[in-house]
Amino acid sequence: MTRPSRHADSRATSPPGDATAGGQDDRLRPASADQAAADAAAPGTAVDRRPDASPPPRDRLSAWGLPLLGVVLAIAVFEVLPRIGLVDRRFLPPASEMFGALFGRIADGSIWEPTVQTMQGWALGLGTALVIALPLGILIGSVFLLFMSTRTIVEFLRPIPSVALIPLAVLVFGAGLESKWFLAAFAATWPILLQTLYGVRDVDPTSIETARSFGIKTPERLWRVVLPSALPYIATGVRISSAVALILAVTAELVLGAPGLGQEINIARQSAAVDQMYALIIATGLIGWLLNIVLSLAERRLLHWHPSQRERNR
């Protein structure tokens, strides 16, 4: 008698409830596929596999609690160090005085006009960079010969510091809004251009060949295949350029005296109003932080279909 037949006979001759190997396997094995599915879907299971399950409290703590704790600790450090004498209060007042000066400017409305002037230079610079860099990056990235012939020029111009062009901007545009616009646009163009260029170059050739085999013309291929594939790169470039444009706008106001938050910071420094100076510096930091949040939300909404955003939203 073969081994399988002995096993079959032992299961057949085992009385009900016998703790033999065969009887134990029969009790553990589901009676049918339907029974297994019913058991798997039964309520009260130990693991909830629903995709829409809310994140555990530990994840919510990591997302909100830890960053907030870091901010509170940083403010506490800036509050304590001047009060215990480790830092001269004439050069670094306590954080409470800085925020008090900031709230005072918000209350009397003196902060809004320079903020609008700074945001004007930021918006003009970033908008000009988008108009220049997006089509240029798509064009250079789509044509291989053009990509190879312009690489040296791009790599030469990209590392030039924008502040090094301040004398040129003053000679050509003067010390007003036009210089701030030019410097912010020059600095913000390169991240968008490079991200767009490499995003277009990174498009899957199979997708392009498939679209070509279906008779889709070049403009429609750019719109339906190339641009969606390069959009994550472009979104990253826009966020980087937003910060760069704000930095250059404030720098132009500091150095050239163009109206805005940078000019107000310089006036406060010259007047020895240190708390006002730090209050305006905090205001510029808050503006950059809010801009990054807004652009991140727009990126998440625009790229909700992208795997990186789907993983982030889980």
Side-chain angles (χ1 to χ4, degrees):
M1 184 180 295
T2 61
R3 182 174 299 176
S5 63
R6 288 200 301 270
H7 289 174
D9 291 341
S10 64
R11 288 195 298 269
T13 59
S14 298
D18 191 9
T20 59
Q24 188 176 5
D25 290 342
D26 288 339
R27 289 196 303 273
L28 295 177
R29 186 182 300 111
S32 63
D34 295 337
Q35 181 66 31
D39 292 340
T45 53
V47 179
D48 189 0
R49 293 184 177 88
R50 291 176 299 172
D52 56 346
S54 59
R58 181 175 296 179
D59 291 344
R60 290 196 296 268
L61 177 64
S62 300
W64 295 99
L66 294 180
L68 183 60
L69 178 62
V71 173
V72 171
L73 290 177
I75 294 175
V77 169
F78 279 96
E79 179 70 24
V80 171
L81 289 181
R83 293 190 180 278
I84 64 177
L86 289 180
V87 180
D88 194 340
R89 297 182 61 163
R90 295 176 299 172
F91 307 119
L92 184 66
S96 57
E97 295 183 10
M98 301 179 194
F99 284 102
L102 177 61
F103 294 147
R105 277 185 168 265
I106 293 174
D108 62 21
S110 60
I111 198 172
W112 300 118
E113 183 178 359
T115 299
V116 171
Q117 292 167 339
T118 298
M119 294 303 297
Q120 183 183 18
W122 167 84
L124 290 172
L126 184 61
T128 304
L130 283 169
V131 171
I132 295 174
L134 276 180
L136 198 59
I138 294 173
L139 176 63
I140 295 175
S142 301
V143 182
F144 179 73
L145 291 178
L146 189 59
F147 171 74
M148 295 301 296
S149 61
T150 57
R151 285 183 64 182
T152 304
I153 300 174
V154 171
E155 293 299 328
F156 170 75
L157 294 175
R158 180 180 63 87
I160 296 178
S162 298
V163 292
L165 300 177
I166 288 178
L168 174 63
V170 172
L171 289 175
V172 176
F173 302 107
L177 174 62
E178 292 79 7
S179 292
K180 180 165 57 174
W181 181 357
F182 167 75
L183 293 171
F186 180 85
T189 295
W190 301 110
I192 299 176
L193 176 63
L194 292 175
Q195 289 291 114
T196 304
L197 194 153
Y198 288 111
V200 171
R201 297 296 305 169
D202 197 49
V203 176
D204 187 4
T206 305
S207 302
I208 298 177
E209 292 300 327
T210 302
R212 186 180 289 115
S213 65
F214 278 98
I216 299 177
K217 302 300 181 182
T218 300
E220 193 173 0
R221 282 203 308 271
L222 290 175
W223 177 254
R224 293 183 177 272
V225 179
V226 175
L227 191 59
S229 298
L231 202 55
Y233 291 84
I234 297 172
T236 302
V238 171
R239 281 196 293 112
I240 297 172
S241 293
S242 171
V244 171
L246 180 64
I247 292 171
L248 264 298
V250 176
T251 301
E253 293 163 358
L254 278 168
V255 178
L256 302 179
L261 288 172
Q263 185 188 57
E264 293 294 319
I265 292 172
N266 205 18
I267 292 174
R269 179 190 63 82
Q270 294 173 350
S271 304
V274 182
D275 56 342
Q276 298 289 330
M277 181 186 73
Y278 282 109
L280 293 167
I281 293 173
I282 293 172
T284 59
L286 291 175
I287 290 172
W289 176 63
L290 291 175
L291 288 174
N292 186 67
I293 290 177
V294 170
L295 291 175
S296 297
L297 292 175
E299 178 183 354
R300 189 175 303 177
R301 178 66 62 87
L302 185 63
L303 298 176
H304 61 89
W305 50 268
H306 196 264
S308 63
Q309 300 300 326
R310 290 203 300 266
E311 290 293 331
R312 183 182 299 178
N313 292 331
R314 284 183 179 179

